């Protein structure tokens, strides 16, 4: 339950990677695998988009933002946004840009947050809010509805800001919100998002993330910038081949759905422990129980998971695509044992 | 009442600058004026410190911080800190570092703020809190007592963080807290501050700010870094000569005190307008009245001042060293007129 | 003879600064002095240009370049360009951009230099040459003719590159090439230069340099970027007032001319010392004599000057606007004495 | 013959990656695979070193350099160094540091190059030369002998500079210089190199490079910096598992040797075409023939390879670990055909 990063990769995806190792291919993305993967992204989103692959999630985010920002601009996001908290200051160092963070109780940014910073635009003393970055699903395991994303995009665009979506856990969000390409489009391309960090690693891939430009004009310099700030994978076909597999046969939706289902199962099996404070079923693949230190330690020793808010004894259980009902049964049993201590 | 930046320079300081223009002098700070100015800083703080001059306030802050930060470090400050709000993202771009902002009602950082971020140290996913930056007097016109600064320094140092003080309005703080070198030392060098941005421009200088290293080990590379990130003034003597004047005959304290006195006079002359909400006398040289839009506009047209919190009709009146009682009388009269509208 | 940075400021300019200290003025350049100074720049260049003031020469260069560069771009310049050698790596750190340096025997970039790097454009593995930066007068005391500048601009523009001119010693160049606004225009705005760093400090100012955008579209974000990367002088009128004085009554041309004349006088008085290797009269205000170590040291002890190429015993004598014939006589006499050692 | 980046990955390495996909493992390098891979690096170099994995070659170089540089430092390298030419300006943007390039006819830096820049140390106007970066094998396919590396390290260390080796093609160098751990040590750890970018991708890996700190004190902040500037791979075991395979059974040396052998075979089979100008056998895995445009195009259409110096009709043929004698025969035959055109 440590993280969806602790899972391995789906066997079909690994086999796709192995198959891609058959012969020489032009380096740096000039290969047939990359061409096919891009077409599959076009199909997924229902029109021609611009898709570029990078190594990891932080890379996807900084590349997307680098294409959206001008000097002296800032990014508006929640104070618990992954870019603000969990990327070791990469956005500030790589982009040289300020993150204008906003408090949020549920992990979601609100149109009001944008309205409260737009007055900075035009004032040379302030970094200029230029991009709104939202995370779907959020770092707190909540979801923006398509309508909510659209409302944010409308306000942002009205005031001249662009919208970036950090979709490190997009598979879980997509599975939760309809599990079809149409559902996925409803809260991304159709809602007005300009650039999407499309997460593959947490969804079951060995390595490699995608940046999808719905606003293709922003991709003008993306290849130069990718080479400069995120390292360009020479043997690109190995990333592309995995995405070809992921985007076929609904695997992307299935893997996200499986992780979600397991979090729900874990919720069902542990919600009767009132001390955990698990009041509502999870939207996606994470639960945030409250556990007293001694019990928490016993449980972590058995199967590691991260603390979330140490001062308040909050922890994070996170399920991955490869968790099974049997795993959940065992873990729920261990929880029961630990709580007896 | 627009800003202490709108004032000119004190005539004695301008004359000192003129006198320094008598002959050739070695460039880049290798001159006798700079040597003398440094000695005066040593005298002011009671022991040998390391003083370097830069052009402006943002330069002083980024130079100080650049000497204190290592890669992947962050700076802890309030969310209204000048470095966070009013330097157009210079710290993020020039330093490549995150500002870890904390909410504050009175403009002051609290020891608890440090305690709530120190858990990030040692976790590679987070930028590492390494420097605490406080502003004295604060952006809200409040003051840290010597005891409060010491408490912050103690907590910071205990957890391995350094302390920077942004003293853009240090003259006002020093005047308010005792108006002697001893008083100044009590909340800076004696309280444990490591590096101080010593403000001269708002105190009555033409141009030039000082960075004073109490922790002189941090100044190891300061000359190289100054040249690289803040531009090095070739004709340094023109800055140094002004500081020689400012630090002699208590001029620094007197100018800060005069600005403070005028803010207090303005408070006394306007506090009876209950709608302004001026409940307590100012600590230094600023008042934050509430004024309805029509009245505010009429008053601003007559004598410009900045809004502070537009949504809540809050404005900032700021007095400078060159404001006289007559100016205050006229302005208070204008306020009365405007409020009648 | 150390540097034109070792000179003071012209008395008329200092007096203009003193006069500007008469009252309050809006800060940050919203003042009447700045407005007037800008109009004088328009007059000087014969049409509406965009002029912004910064503190120092490195600031002027990085601001100009920041407005001209996009991510992953590079700047083409000679290997002895001030930006490449004497700014402590500021361009690389502040701009995050590569300087694509080219060897040059005479300090001048050639059209061929541009042609030899343009093949990099379009190749994502290379930083993209996007700006040509030339220095006028050059670091070696040579001059580009108006025709040479035009040829560079033509080649640059033909291949999609912009042209920046570092005019830290523009006054000397302008004086040498005609000493009229028309002459100045011929090798700047009329030749196709896009952005000019207009030097005032070496020409006789206390502090402050100007960035002049002939290609005004490039100035779209200049105010935000200036605030972010070069510090914005709050009491801007003190810079502007000096420029008003400098640009009136041909003072700019006169001061540049005086420095040039004194270098020529020094050349005439020392060229008979064959060991110095002063074969041709100086174009502007510097001479590069060869002096054996013992003699050089004796002379430097008497009146400091910099070595230029220590391995080859080359030194730099540089005259400033305030050098007189009497100074030259004394120095030439000292040279004669030193060479007898 | 396009590039060793165009090759796939060695089947044994791919199978190692597949095997690592068996179960959950702690993320971010806290796994048993990474532990084992590190031990194998210790064995390879004969003592405890510090090894960290990154995604790609540019990442390895910027991470190594970031750990070696302080603010206002510069890196000394040849003008054709990969970091200077082929990383799209990543070092300048990510590190904010100047690359002090030196001309070189054979791709190798000389002790004299260091001596000619050390005078900059201590002069605040110049970026401070602090790291020497050499590439082994060089971008021109030449090799530093162990003695040459030692001479560079001695001069560098004597003057207070550190030494970085970019070993993107270290396997080819190691194979050419003895093909044993002892031989590898002789020109790396034993010669005084401080930090090594250890290349795996060109040697036959799917993805992932290693940074090896022989000077382990420099690795103090490496994990924080890696997370910040190069993206940290969450599923690190997939990189580590490949290195475990690469470092066992001499595979690293064998793959490097096979690529070298094929370049030599190609040389033997084409050297009789005098127009190609292939005068000496290749040191490692590249040849730089001269081919007239028409013939070059015909050959490239048949099997793509890169031009090297277009103006002089120079091209680069580069062999990889997976090239066979049959491939060479076919290519040599195609060369003969093309040259008849």
């Amino acid at each position: 339950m440590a993280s969806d990063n602790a899972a391995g990769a789906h066997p079909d995806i690994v086999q796709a990677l192995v198959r891609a190792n058959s012969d020489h291919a032009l380096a740096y993305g000039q290969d047939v695998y990359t061409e096919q993967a891009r077409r599959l992204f076009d199909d997924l989103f229902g029109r021609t988009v611009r898709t570029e692959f990078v190594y990891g999630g932080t890379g996807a985010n900084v590349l997307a933002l680098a294409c959206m920002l001008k000097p002296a601009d800032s990014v508006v996001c929640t104070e618990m946004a992954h870019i603000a908290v969990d990327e070791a200051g990469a956005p500030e160092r790589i982009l040289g840009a300020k993150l204008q963070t906003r408090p949020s109780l549920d992990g979601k940014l609100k149109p009001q947050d944008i309205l409260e910073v737009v007055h900075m635009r035009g004032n040379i003393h302030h970094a200029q809010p230029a991009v709104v970055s939202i995370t779907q699903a959020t770092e707190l395991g909540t979801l923006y509805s398509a309508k909510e994303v659209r409302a944010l995009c409308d306000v942002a665009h009205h005031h001249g800001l662009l919208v970036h979506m950090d979709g490190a856990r997009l598979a879980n969000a997509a599975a939760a919100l309809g599990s079809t390409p149409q559902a996925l489009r409803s809260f991304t391309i159709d809602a007005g998002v300009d650039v999407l960090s499309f997460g593959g690693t947490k969804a079951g891939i060995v390595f490699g993330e995608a940046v999808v430009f719905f606003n293709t004009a922003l991709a003008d310099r993306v290849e130069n910038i990718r080479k400069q700030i995120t390292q360009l994978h020479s043997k690109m076909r190995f990333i592309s081949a995995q995405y070809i597999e992921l985007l076929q046969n609904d695997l992307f939706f299935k893997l996200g759905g499986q992780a979600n289902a397991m979090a729900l199962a874990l919720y069902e099996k542990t919600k009767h422990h009132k001390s955990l404070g698990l009041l509502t079923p999870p939207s996606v693949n994470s639960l945030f129980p409250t556990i007293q230190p001694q019990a928490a330690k016993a449980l972590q020793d058995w199967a590691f998971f991260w603390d979330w808010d140490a001062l308040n004894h909050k922890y994070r259980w996170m399920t991955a695509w490869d968790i099974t009902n049997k795993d959940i049964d065992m873990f729920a049993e261990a929880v029961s044992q630990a709580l007896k201590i």
Side-chain angles (χ1 to χ4, degrees), chain A:
Chain A
M1 302 300 144
S3 171
D4 30 16
N5 284 322
H10 191 274
D12 291 354
I13 287 171
V14 175
Q15 284 313 311
L17 187 154
V18 174
R19 284 196 306 273
N21 190 36
S22 54
D23 57 7
H24 269 229
L26 276 183
Y28 303 117
Q30 310 300 312
D31 60 273
V32 293
Y33 297 92
T34 303
E35 195 186 333
Q36 185 185 352
R38 282 180 168 146
R39 277 201 310 269
L40 289 172
F41 273 99
D42 291 346
D43 294 346
L44 181 64
F45 288 108
R47 66 168 165 83
T48 302
V49 297
R50 173 76 178 264
T51 304
E52 297 292 348
F53 297 106
V54 295
Y55 279 118
T58 295
N61 287 338
V62 297
L63 178 59
L65 294 171
C67 292
M68 304 173 86
L69 291 165
K70 289 196 288 290
D73 279 346
S74 72
V75 179
V76 185
C77 60
T78 71
E79 63 186 8
M80 66 269 286
H82 196 270
I83 54 172
V85 177
D86 285 308
E87 299 186 353
E92 287 87 351
R93 175 154 179 182
I94 307 298
L95 304 171
K98 172 179 283 299
L99 302 188
Q100 188 72 44
T101 57
R102 304 287 307 170
S104 173
L105 290 177
D106 61 359
K108 293 157 74 174
L109 201 76
K110 309 294 182 311
Q112 184 63 21
D113 290 305
I114 302 173
L115 295 175
E116 288 187 16
V117 299
V118 289
H119 71 90
M120 291 182 173
R121 288 175 65 93
N123 181 328
I124 60 163
H125 302 288
H126 304 318
Q128 303 290 294
V131 175
V132 171
S133 179
I134 58 175
T135 309
Q136 175 82 317
T138 76
E139 293 78 6
L140 290 186
T142 54
L143 285 169
Y144 292 94
S145 70
K147 194 175 161 188
E148 287 173 326
V149 176
R150 180 180 292 275
L152 280 163
C153 291
D154 285 349
V155 171
H157 292 158
H158 178 73
H159 290 282
L161 288 81
L162 299 166
V163 179
H164 166 249
M165 178 178 280
D166 176 355
R169 293 193 177 93
L170 192 74
N172 306 292
L177 289 169
S179 218
T180 63
Q182 289 70 27
L184 172 60
R185 293 174 199 164
S186 74
F187 66 84
T188 57
I189 191 169
D190 293 347
V193 169
D194 293 287
V195 188
L196 170 68
S197 295
F198 187 104
T201 308
K202 291 179 204 292
I205 267 190
V206 174
F207 76 108
E209 304 274 303
V211 181
V212 184
F213 292 82
F214 304 131
N215 182 341
T216 54
L218 296 170
D220 186 35
R221 293 280 289 231
V222 64
E223 289 185 84
N224 299 279
I225 300 173
R226 175 177 59 181
K227 172 79 188 184
Q228 186 179 45
I229 70 174
T230 68
Q231 315 164 53
L232 171 60
H233 190 35
S234 51
K235 300 177 176 180
M236 187 67 88
R237 57 172 147 163
F238 289 117
I239 298 179
S240 305
Q242 295 179 76
Y243 272 92
I244 292 171
E245 190 69 25
L246 184 68
L247 296 193
Q248 287 178 331
N249 305 316
D250 283 343
L251 187 59
F252 178 72
F253 297 104
K254 286 176 191 164
L255 295 179
Q258 172 67 6
N260 294 354
M262 291 303 99
L264 184 59
L266 179 57
Y267 167 78
E268 295 294 345
K269 289 213 156 62
T270 57
K271 68 179 175 184
H272 62 283
H273 300 299
K274 297 302 176 196
S275 68
L276 296 174
L278 298 174
L279 305 181
T280 54
S283 297
V284 282
N285 63 324
S286 53
L287 295 171
F288 295 83
T290 301
I291 319 178
Q292 291 311 306
Q294 205 178 356
K297 194 181 174 314
L299 198 51
Q300 283 174 315
D301 286 348
W302 182 75
F304 182 76
F305 49 90
W306 292 92
D307 55 338
W308 186 253
D309 177 356
L311 294 178
N312 295 305
H313 309 307
K314 277 221 162 190
Y315 294 84
R316 187 185 72 177
W317 292 339
M318 180 153 270
T319 54
W321 62 269
D322 62 344
I323 298 292
T324 62
N325 277 307
K326 196 177 148 202
D327 295 327
I328 295 298
D329 289 346
M330 286 170 62
F331 190 81
E333 174 58 25
V335 170
S336 297
Q337 294 298 329
L339 292 181
K340 285 181 195 157
I341 298 173

